[in-house]
Amino acid sequence: MNSGAVPLIRVSAPSRPGRRPYHRGVTTPPSAISAAELTVWRTMLRAQVRISRRLQADLLAHHDLALGSYDVLMHLGEAPDGRLRMNDLADRVLLSRSGLTRLVDRLQREGLVVRQSCTSDARGLFAVLTAAGRARLDAATPTYRQGVRDYVLSRLDEDDLRVFGHILGKLADEPAERAGRGTGGVSRITA
């Protein structure tokens, strides 16, 4: 019987040469996750889902625009000439190529984006923000930013924000990118 012991969940984790996993005060084998670690993981997932759902509800209620659609319009709006190659856009919005194709199809039917051929690559396509797409983005951005402020930023003080940005930077980067930058950190957070 295992009275009082913290339950462990075994997972396989890829080893990273020259880098030790987090062990601060944790006496579990490297392939195990303690109950405390699992709680942090689940809390992060729950927070991300709740924040996304709230932002989605706000955008739908005020602008009839889903969060994924806003994300596409935002990335196009920030790109030079309001256009990005479909592959680059898929990477930025974290959708599969087919998922992005379906979303851009919807946005194109609504007149918010158009597709343009790439002159240098016959197989390549650009997604391009239309004037109507720019207007919808401009109208929705204050709602989006207010949601980010209400659901995230207002709950963090300056120190929290700095630490949170640093932690998220570590989690978002690929290990090879982190190694090339040293300790790095988040230099800017956009919303």
Side-chain angles (χ1 to χ4, degrees):
M1 204 71 173
N2 189 359
S3 63
V6 175
L8 299 178
I9 296 155
R10 301 240 178 247
V11 296
S12 60
S15 63
R16 295 190 310 236
R19 186 152 164 94
R20 294 187 44 182
Y22 167 74
H23 286 296
R24 188 173 303 154
V26 178
T27 58
T28 59
S31 63
I33 297 176
S34 72
E37 291 169 325
L38 189 57
T39 297
V40 169
W41 170 250
R42 289 178 175 164
T43 302
M44 182 190 73
L45 293 176
R46 190 170 47 255
Q48 186 274 329
V49 167
R50 286 185 178 168
I51 293 164
S52 293
R53 285 180 182 165
R54 289 173 183 154
L55 288 170
Q56 167 106 337
D58 291 350
L59 288 167
L60 285 171
H62 299 289
H63 307 283
D64 193 29
L65 190 65
L67 181 57
S69 297
Y70 176 84
D71 199 29
V72 166
L73 297 179
M74 180 186 67
H75 284 289
L76 289 174
E78 292 173 350
D81 301 321
R83 60 191 251 157
L84 286 169
R85 290 177 70 98
M86 290 288 286
N87 286 342
D88 295 334
L89 183 57
D91 290 341
R92 291 179 190 204
V93 298
L94 305 176
L95 286 174
S96 67
R97 306 296 184 249
S98 62
L100 178 65
T101 297
R102 288 189 298 275
L103 181 53
V104 169
D105 285 344
R106 255 192 325 266
L107 294 172
Q108 190 166 16
R109 282 192 301 273
E110 294 179 35
L112 304 178
V113 301
V114 294
R115 285 188 178 91
Q116 288 180 350
S117 301
C118 177
T119 56
S120 63
D121 178 2
R123 297 170 297 161
L125 285 175
F126 286 100
V128 183
L129 191 62
T130 64
R134 173 73 64 188
R136 190 84 165 272
L137 174 63
D138 290 346
T141 294
T143 302
Y144 176 84
R145 288 184 176 179
Q146 187 61 50
V148 170
R149 170 122 348 256
D150 292 346
Y151 309 135
V152 180
L153 301 176
S154 68
R155 298 169 184 213
L156 304 172
D157 64 26
E158 212 172 293
D159 287 338
D160 291 338
L161 187 61
R162 183 183 46 74
V163 170
F164 190 52
H166 181 75
I167 290 168
L168 290 175
K170 285 175 147 182
L171 297 176
D173 287 346
E174 295 296 323
E177 291 173 4
R178 247 192 342 264
R181 277 205 325 244
T183 59
V186 175
S187 59
R188 103 189 155 133
I189 297 174
T190 58

